[in-house]
Amino acid sequence: MKQATKLCLAVVVVFQWISGGWLGVMVQDLTPELAARHGLRIETGVMVTRVQFNSPAMRGGVQEGDVVVSVNGKQIPDSETLKQVVTRLAPGKPIDLVVLREGGEKTLQIVLGEIPRDAV
């Protein structure tokens, strides 16, 4: 009985992930060392390491090297928080994504997409 319950829970988690919003970026947590290497004065946030082609992030102007600091006013201290915030929003929902780029703060308006089925 316990195995069936665990299997069912895994299916629910995957379904929620598929049905949530999607940005289309690969990221890494900003560490003090990474921040120093890039000349940043902050030590928390999420650095964009790759923007997927034709993704909502690409269409919204996100660039590799951007540091995501907030989504709709919610601070983003790490990649897990970014994932949770984005996947809890509906595809098609516009968001305000605040990034640090070239020493300044920039607000990007992005319309979230739906995660591609082949990405699961």
Side-chain angles (χ1 to χ4, degrees), residues 25 31 42 44 74 81-82:
V25 293
T31 63
I42 64 167
T44 63
K74 178 168 177 47
T81 303
L82 177 63

Side-chain angles (χ1 to χ4, degrees), residues 97-111:
L97 187 79
V98 177
V99 300
L100 297 180
R101 179 187 299 165
E102 299 174 357
E105 205 173 80
K106 185 171 183 82
T107 300
L108 305 171
Q109 281 79 40
I110 298 175
V111 177

Side-chain angles (χ1 to χ4, degrees), residues 21-90:
W22 175 65
L23 268 176
V25 293
M26 293 181 74
V27 297
Q28 99 180 65
D29 290 344
L30 191 64
T31 63
E33 297 80 17
L34 186 59
R37 191 174 330 136
H38 290 278
L40 300 169
R41 292 192 171 138
I42 64 167
E43 294 184 356
T44 63
V46 177
M47 181 169 280
V48 176
T49 58
R50 182 169 172 250
V51 179
Q52 293 180 328
F53 180 72
N54 204 27
S55 65
M58 180 183 223
R59 290 189 297 273
V62 177
Q63 298 177 5
E64 289 180 15
D66 284 350
V67 177
V68 177
V69 293
S70 73
V71 174
N72 290 344
K74 178 168 177 47
Q75 295 300 309
I76 305 296
D78 54 43
S79 56
E80 184 60 30
T81 303
L82 177 63
K83 177 181 149 187
Q84 288 174 4
V85 168
V86 170
T87 58
R88 287 182 180 152
L89 297 170

